[in-house]
């Protein structure tokens, strides 16, 4: 029996999966493969939270494959060496995969593709991750976009593709190559810190589809405004499912098209296009995970004070909305978008830490850590990327908290020290009198920290740093 290798990466689903469907329709025995090539990504190798998600996503695909009598072959090591070893071991002459857009993946995939062609093997790659390939969208002069709105306008003129499907079942090979077990990949934590993750997530395709269905039933109606309030379940929380490809954007877009049009639905679709924009920028500017898109920011006079970074990471900055967000991240591996913007601003502006420090921490702690969106998000916060918030626009963590968590429901959920603080002080507990602190069971400096930096002083320091950059530039 001829065999085909279906190489899974960030496309962990069997529906609307071009490479998988092509493998099934080839009529050859299908060998599903996952190669854990942890070292290949260098600095951006999977963080602890992503590994947790990946383990469960793979387990879920394993179960789906088992229904057809198929196994997932797990290998560890270098992608190229493992793939060519598999071809030898199985006698297969055919490898199919879906494209990834991380710079290191594109380099390695290109090399593998050339070698497979040289050796006369069939090699084919498809698109399981995006609505549009990054190179399909360009300005009138044929250049990549650096600003979201014109990018999204061009996208809007292009047709959306329907999800792919097949009615065929995969052919089961008679013999299987050797592999290691999923457990051997050691993706799960040795010390169990993942209780909060289990309570918050169902990291399976079914879990993701459930989220999409529930979101489209109600929260989407108020998404325009609801998506800014972290205490509400007002966003889809699809980001990790989309990152790992348990749900594809074509599937989400097709489900959205079937709904009655509403402004919430339109805004939600626009957010999917932000994800596309992030991939567009990463593809065309592959240095951005390490370098700001706006080169002058390479010379920004960051301060990088380790104690401040640690206070930020631990959710001990003294700014309740920031600390609630950072602790949400630690507890459940995800943070609400509005709060990502607030914590990002505090780190990069008030505390003058490089956006890269934020990107690295998020990389390790987010279940949806995604090189394209994380880089775009952090360069946005740092004012140095594509369509970024100007550096001089500095979020006030107190008024942001008052506006988006005025009654403190989100803060109290994640910062128990503040549970008894009244709404009046929930976003500025240091303003409580001594008596009020005792009554609220929250003594500032003892039970909960004083602000790591005064807002006004931090703001002025950030503006001075920007001024220094401008002077150095002129
Ligand atoms: C500093 C910073 C870092 C970020 N890091 C990541 C990251 O590593 N991975 C990640 O997926 N998103 C990242 N984002 C974008 C955004 O915060 C998340 O995509 C969003 O919070 C996920 O929640 P949701 O699925 O409920 O979003 P929803 O509001 O339901 O949006 C639907 C989908 O649209 C996409 N999306 C929404 N907003 C954005 C955006 N601003 N940029 C790109 N895609 C978007 C996501 O895929 C999301 O799942 C970051 C944002 C900031 C400010």
């Amino acid at each position: 029996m001829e065999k085909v290798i279906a190489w899974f990466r960030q496309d962990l689903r069997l529906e609307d999966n071009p490479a998988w469907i092509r493998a099934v329709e080839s009529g050859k025995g299908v060998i599903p493969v996952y190669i854990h090539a942890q070292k290949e990504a260098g600095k951006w190798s999977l963080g602890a939270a992503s590994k947790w998600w990946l383990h469960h996503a793979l387990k879920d695909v394993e179960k789906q494959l088992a229904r057809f009598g198929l196994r997932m072959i797990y290998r560890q090591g270098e992608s190229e060496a493992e793939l060519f070893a598999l071809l030898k071991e199985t006698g297969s002459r055919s490898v199919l995969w879906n494209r990834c857009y991380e710079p290191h993946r594109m380099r390695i995939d290109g090399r593998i593709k050339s070698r497979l062609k040289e050796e006369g093997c069939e090699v084919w790659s498809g698109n399981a991750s995006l609505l549009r390939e990054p190179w399909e969208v360009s300005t009138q002069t044929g250049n990549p976009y650096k600003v979201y709105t014109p990018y999204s306008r061009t996208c809007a003129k292009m047709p959306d593709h329907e999800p792919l499907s097949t009615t065929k079942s995969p052919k089961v090979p008679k013999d299987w190559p050797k592999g290691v077990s999923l457990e051997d990949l050691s993706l799960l934590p040795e010390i169990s810190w993942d209780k909060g993750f289990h309570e918050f997530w169902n990291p399976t395709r079914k879990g993701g589809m459930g989220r999409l269905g529930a979101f489209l039933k109600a929260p989407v109606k108020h998404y325009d405004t609801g998506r800014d309030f972290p205490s509400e379940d007002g966003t889809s929380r699809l980001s990790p499912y989309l990152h790992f490809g348990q749900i594809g954007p074509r599937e989400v877009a097709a489900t959205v098209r079937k709904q009655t049009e509403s402004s919430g639905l339109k805004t939600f679709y626009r957010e999917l296009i932000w994800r596309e924009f992030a991939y567009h920028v990463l593809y065309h500017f592959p240095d951005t995970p390490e370098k700001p898109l706006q080169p002058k920011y390479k010379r920004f006079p960051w301060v990088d004070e380790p104690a401040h970074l640690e206070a930020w990471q631990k959710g001990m900055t003294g700014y309740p909305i920031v600390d609630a967000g950072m602790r949400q991240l630690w507890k459940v591996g995800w943070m609400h978008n509005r709060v990502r913007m607030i914590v990002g601003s505090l780190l990069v502006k008030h505390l003058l830490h490089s956006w890269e420090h934020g990107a690295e921490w998020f990389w390790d702690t987010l279940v949806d850590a995604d090189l394209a969106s994380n880089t775009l998000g952090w360069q946005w916060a740092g004012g140095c990327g594509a369509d970024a918030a100007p550096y001089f626009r500095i979020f006030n963590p107190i008024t942001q908290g008052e506006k988006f968590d005025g009654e403190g429901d989100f803060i109290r959920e994640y910062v128990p020290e503040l549970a008894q603080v009244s709404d009046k002080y929930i976003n500025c507990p240091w303003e409580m009198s001594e008596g009020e602190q005792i009554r609220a069971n929250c003594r500032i400096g003892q039970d909960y920290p004083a602000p790591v930096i005064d807002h006004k002083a931090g703001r002025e320091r950030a503006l001075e740093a920007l001024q220094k950059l401008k002077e150095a530039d002129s």
Side-chain angles (χ1 to χ4, degrees):
M1 185 198 289
E2 276 193 73
K3 290 172 197 147
V4 56
I5 290 175
W7 183 19
F8 283 88
R9 292 107 65 89
Q10 286 171 36
D11 52 349
L12 301 178
R13 65 181 186 275
L14 303 188
E15 292 80 3
D16 184 39
N17 180 327
W20 172 254
I21 290 171
R22 199 174 164 103
V24 170
E25 293 190 337
S26 72
K28 298 175 185 167
V30 184
I31 303 176
V33 169
Y34 185 86
I35 303 170
H36 185 50
Q38 175 74 348
K39 287 195 184 131
E40 278 175 359
K43 178 178 169 187
W44 303 111
S45 56
L46 288 177
S50 295
K51 282 193 201 159
W52 179 88
W53 192 285
L54 176 64
H55 177 96
H56 295 288
L58 285 168
K59 186 112 213 145
D60 186 37
V61 181
E62 245 182 49
K63 281 189 194 153
Q64 295 168 46
L65 291 170
R67 282 188 214 125
F68 296 109
L70 292 168
R71 305 176 192 171
M72 179 70 98
I73 301 298
Y74 295 107
R75 304 282 283 236
Q76 305 198 69
E78 284 179 14
S79 306
E80 184 175 344
E82 291 306 317
L83 266 186
F84 281 88
L86 277 165
L87 288 174
K88 211 165 171 195
E89 289 163 34
T90 58
S92 167
R93 307 281 299 149
S94 179
V95 186
L96 313 177
W97 70 70
N98 293 307
R99 284 185 282 280
C100 293
Y101 305 87
E102 290 76 11
H104 77 278
R105 268 272 51 97
M106 295 204 37
R107 244 184 343 263
I108 295 168
D109 290 357
R111 206 169 59 218
I112 295 176
K113 211 171 210 177
S114 307
R115 194 171 147 197
L116 284 167
K117 280 185 189 159
E118 269 165 35
E119 298 195 8
C121 294
E122 183 206 5
V123 51
W124 182 91
S125 64
N127 171 7
S129 300
L130 297 173
L131 294 172
R132 288 162 198 98
E133 293 288 8
W135 53 85
E136 285 173 358
V137 190
S138 60
T139 65
Q140 282 181 347
T141 50
N143 289 312
Y145 283 101
K146 289 186 185 171
V147 181
Y148 170 79
T149 305
Y151 169 85
S152 69
R153 278 203 205 107
T154 302
C155 287
K157 290 183 204 138
M158 301 167 77
D160 270 351
H161 301 288
E162 287 301 321
L164 309 174
S165 60
T166 183
T167 50
K168 291 205 172 134
S169 293
K171 206 171 242 177
V172 183
K174 289 202 180 65
D175 41 66
W176 290 92
K178 282 206 184 88
V180 297
S181 71
L182 176 57
E183 284 65 30
D184 288 334
L185 304 186
S186 306
L187 297 169
L188 290 180
E190 277 170 25
I191 305 162
S192 137
W193 45 252
D194 50 349
K195 187 170 169 275
F197 282 38
H198 282 288
E199 285 166 5
F200 200 75
W201 297 106
N202 174 358
T204 61
R205 175 166 166 91
K206 199 169 161 201
M209 283 299 185
R211 272 301 309 174
L212 178 59
F215 172 72
L216 291 176
K217 243 188 212 154
V220 76
K221 296 197 180 101
H222 317 286
Y223 182 73
D224 276 341
T225 47
R227 74 198 178 103
D228 268 326
F229 293 87
S231 65
E232 288 180 22
D233 191 2
T235 67
S236 70
R237 289 190 200 152
L238 283 181
S239 47
Y241 302 98
L242 282 164
H243 171 75
F244 286 99
Q246 290 164 295
I247 297 183
R250 276 189 297 264
E251 295 182 295
V252 180
T255 315
V256 163
R257 280 197 297 279
K258 284 186 201 135
Q259 309 291 310
T260 320
E261 217 177 76
S262 66
S263 70
L265 208 61
K266 278 191 195 155
T267 309
F268 176 62
Y269 184 80
R270 275 201 291 275
E271 294 305 311
L272 290 178
I273 303 300
W274 267 105
R275 178 175 176 274
E276 299 275 315
F277 180 59
Y279 275 87
H280 179 80
V281 174
L282 179 66
Y283 174 80
H284 290 288
F285 305 98
D287 287 345
T288 46
E290 276 82 37
K291 290 182 191 152
L293 184 73
Q294 299 179 38
K296 70 173 181 196
Y297 280 91
K298 268 189 248 163
R299 295 185 294 280
F300 195 88
W302 305 114
V303 168
D304 292 352
E305 166 73 54
H308 284 173
L309 182 63
E310 197 184 327
W312 179 82
Q313 289 171 337
K314 289 190 168 157
M316 293 292 279
T317 67
Y319 286 108
I321 188 80
V322 172
D323 294 342
M326 296 308 292
R327 296 191 203 181
Q328 179 184 40
L329 175 62
W330 190 249
K331 192 168 175 195
V332 306
W334 181 85
M335 196 195 295
H336 189 277
N337 182 58
R338 165 62 50 184
V339 190
R340 291 187 203 205
M341 296 195 286
I342 302 171
V343 305
S345 178
L346 190 94
L347 183 72
V348 173
K349 296 181 179 172
H350 292 82
L351 300 181
L352 283 180
H353 265 263
S354 159
W355 59 275
E356 288 175 83
H357 294 176
E360 284 162 19
W361 184 251
F362 269 31
W363 189 258
D364 198 34
T365 49
L366 277 174
V367 289
D368 66 18
D370 180 278
L371 199 61
S373 299
N374 199 40
T375 305
L376 187 81
W378 275 102
Q379 291 202 3
W380 180 90
C384 59
D387 211 351
Y391 191 86
F392 59 78
R393 200 172 295 155
I394 297 169
F395 276 155
N396 176 335
I398 308 153
T399 51
Q400 284 286 311
E402 284 166 355
K403 205 164 162 196
F404 298 111
D405 194 34
E407 287 168 18
D409 293 340
F410 175 66
I411 292 168
R412 290 193 189 91
E413 186 178 349
Y414 288 102
V415 189
E417 306 95 288
L418 301 174
Q420 292 170 52
V421 173
S422 66
D423 292 0
K424 182 176 172 194
Y425 294 115
I426 195 71
N427 277 288
C428 50
W430 60 90
E431 285 183 4
M432 289 189 289
S433 67
E434 224 168 283
E436 282 163 331
Q437 291 184 28
I438 291 165
R439 277 195 295 283
N441 214 2
C442 177
R443 271 141 316 163
I444 299 303
Q446 237 173 292
D447 301 310
Y448 184 70
V452 66
I453 191 166
D454 171 67
H455 163 60
K456 207 163 154 250
R459 185 174 184 282
E460 278 162 16
R461 193 172 69 142
L463 292 174
E464 273 166 29
L466 181 66
Q467 190 55 33
K468 269 191 213 153
L469 177 71
K470 278 187 183 160
E471 284 161 14
D473 233 32
S474 60

